[in-house]
Amino acid sequence: SRRRRLNRMWKSSHDQKLLALVDVKGFGPKEVTVMVKDGKVKVSAEHEEEHTTARGKEYNYRNIMKEIRLPWGVSEDEVTCSL
């Protein structure tokens, strides 16, 4: 399940400075944006699909938006992310 996968990822991280994990499964790397601004890490992702079926066109759209406040004493310049 999604929760088990995230728990495994969290436990497998040996980095004690890990702030958060955001599940972006189903989104391509170019569809995910991470910004650090105003003391927050902002993660957003958008995915659009168009399918032609016998009944016409179908559209699928998904998005997520997460904001995580940086802990006190952490500089925005120190923040890194990986996908």
Side-chain angles (χ1 to χ4, degrees), residues 21-76:
L21 291 171
V22 178
D23 186 2
V24 292
K25 183 180 178 186
F27 296 93
K30 291 182 180 181
E31 297 172 322
V32 178
T33 303
V34 178
M35 293 181 5
V36 181
K37 186 176 179 182
D38 300 328
K40 297 177 186 174
V41 177
K42 300 176 184 182
V43 180
S44 60
E46 277 187 282
H47 180 78
E48 296 181 54
E49 291 179 14
E50 178 182 319
H51 301 283
T52 303
T53 66
R55 297 182 308 185
K57 290 188 179 184
E58 293 181 0
Y59 300 90
N60 293 322
Y61 176 79
R62 289 182 311 217
N63 72 330
I64 62 168
M65 170 74 93
K66 300 277 185 183
E67 284 190 0
I68 302 116
R69 181 164 296 283
L70 292 176
W72 184 85
V74 175
S75 167
E76 292 179 2

